[in-house]
């Protein structure tokens, strides 16, 4: 059945100025500080460099995907898609490390680049969405009341903002693959009237994902450009993870995903009507993982297509969830070698790489993250530094 994309009009007369790239923050968890120190700095210093090649690179994506019914020109990335970076969390897994360096949120932990600029984990997620950022820059949504990981997006649309095709990325996710490769995948999905969900996964062994990562149940070959999504398994035990493996690997869920304008409209209208099927608990009524699972289950009812036919998965080569000290160490160590920097302009990529070289100490039995120049840190200070989950933190 050939399902046509719906033509969806806003449900209220509210018509705010168009903006396509947002970062969600929380007033409780340093929202104002992150907006000023991270987002404003990104908009003022990194974004101008990104803008010089933005349209050219977006056009190159379309040359590869072909012209479709929705995304037909480079500006359509900004005019027809909302890109949300989720950064409202408390960083609870990171709290001890954050306290060690004098802060309480992993996204605000800085690495100095040059003489006057800090780069944060959030910068990497925002750079991933560079094709969606308008001239006004990344916009912030600072929530005053917690409502769950998907709450700010739900409220954004409930407030009357036009419902768009929506791409979502967790703010502590870092990808080694180029943004253009992932956006080519999303563009093909958006231009296909029978596709309403797209997720990005990464291959991990059953031992790596067991009891730790959510697993995407897929059909196809792990080397295919896109797998079909059959279902979800939340942090499965090792026995279940082994059964779900494809070519010896599970597809771990990275938290980067797409929901179509049409699917989002059905979901928002249900919520507007008083029906909420994506609740996690009383304090988190809107959860992004539950939202994707629910939309996936409703594809037959809403669009008359099988769930696996309406949802695709792309497997990337390199991803890290920088939510704990060991993961931050591994990430920073790889940045030293040039990984994870493909989405930045070359000038900033080189500066970031050099900055990270000054922050990671490898010449000992245990890893060290140094939040000051290595040249100014004595061995005695390293030996006496606090160790957090096996990682020495030197400030």
């Amino acid at each position: 059945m050939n399902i046509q994309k719906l033509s969806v009009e806003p449900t209220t007369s509210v018509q705010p100025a168009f903006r396509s790239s947002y970062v969600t923050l929380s007033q409780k968890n340093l929202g104002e500080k992150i907006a000023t120190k991270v987002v404003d700095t990104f908009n003022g210093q990194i974004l101008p460099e990104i803008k010089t090649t933005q349209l050219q690179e977006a056009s190159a994506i379309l040359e590869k995907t072909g012209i479709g019914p929705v995304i037909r020109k480079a500006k359509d990335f900004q005019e027809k898609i909302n890109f949300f970076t989720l950064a409202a969390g408390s960083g609870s897994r990171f709290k001890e490390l954050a306290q060690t360096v004098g802060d309480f949120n992993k996204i605000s932990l800085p690495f100095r680049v040059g003489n006057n600029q800090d780069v944060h984990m959030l910068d990497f997620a925002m750079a991933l969405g560079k094709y969606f950022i308008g001239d006004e820059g990344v916009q912030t949504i600072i929530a005053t009341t917690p409502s769950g990981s998907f709450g700010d997006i739900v409220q954004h649309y409930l407030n009357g903002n036009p419902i768009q095709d929506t791409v979502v990325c967790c703010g502590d996710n870092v990808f080694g693959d180029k943004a253009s490769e992932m956006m080519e995948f999303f563009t093909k999905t958006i231009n296909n009237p029978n596709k309403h969900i797209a997720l990005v996964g990464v291959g991990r062994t059953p031992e790596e994902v067991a009891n730790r990562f959510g697993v995407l149940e897929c059909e196809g070959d792990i080397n295919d450009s896109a797998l079909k999504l059959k279902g979800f398994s939340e942090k499965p035990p090792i026995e279940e993870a082994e059964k779900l493996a494809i070519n010896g690997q599970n597809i771990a869920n990275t938290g980067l995903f797409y929901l179509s304008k049409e699917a989002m409209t059905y979901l928002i209208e249900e919520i507007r009507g008083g029906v909420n099927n994506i609740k996690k608990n009383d304090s988190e009524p809107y959860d992004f993982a539950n939202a994707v699972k629910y939309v996936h289950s409703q594809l037959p009812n809403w669009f008359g297509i099988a769930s696996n036919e309406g949802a695709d998965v792309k497997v990337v080569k390199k991803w890290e969830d920088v939510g704990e000290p060991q993961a931050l160490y591994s990430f920073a160590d790889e940045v030293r070698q040039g990984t994870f920097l493909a989405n930045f302009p070359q000038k900033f990529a080189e500066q970031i790489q050099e900055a990270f070289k000054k922050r990671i100490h490898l010449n000992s039995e245990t890893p060290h993250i140094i939040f000051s120049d290595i040249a100014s840190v004595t061995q005695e200070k390293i030996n006496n530094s606090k160790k957090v989950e096996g990682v020495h933190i030197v400030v």
Side-chain angles (χ1 to χ4, degrees), residues 126-168:
M126 290 192 292
L128 179 66
K130 60 186 179 181
Y131 305 115
F132 306 90
I133 305 174
D135 293 336
E136 67 284 332
V138 177
Q139 304 299 305
T140 55
I141 299 173
I142 302 180
T144 57
T145 304
S147 57
S149 56
F150 210 54
D152 294 324
I153 297 175
V154 169
Q155 193 59 55
H156 180 78
Y157 289 135
L158 288 177
N159 285 344
N161 292 283
I163 297 176
Q164 303 272 43
D165 285 295
T166 300
V167 177
V168 181

Side-chain angles (χ1 to χ4, degrees), residues 358-359 370-377:
K358 296 179 180 180
R359 299 295 186 271
I370 299 178
F371 286 89
S372 57
D373 197 303
I374 286 177
S376 66
V377 178

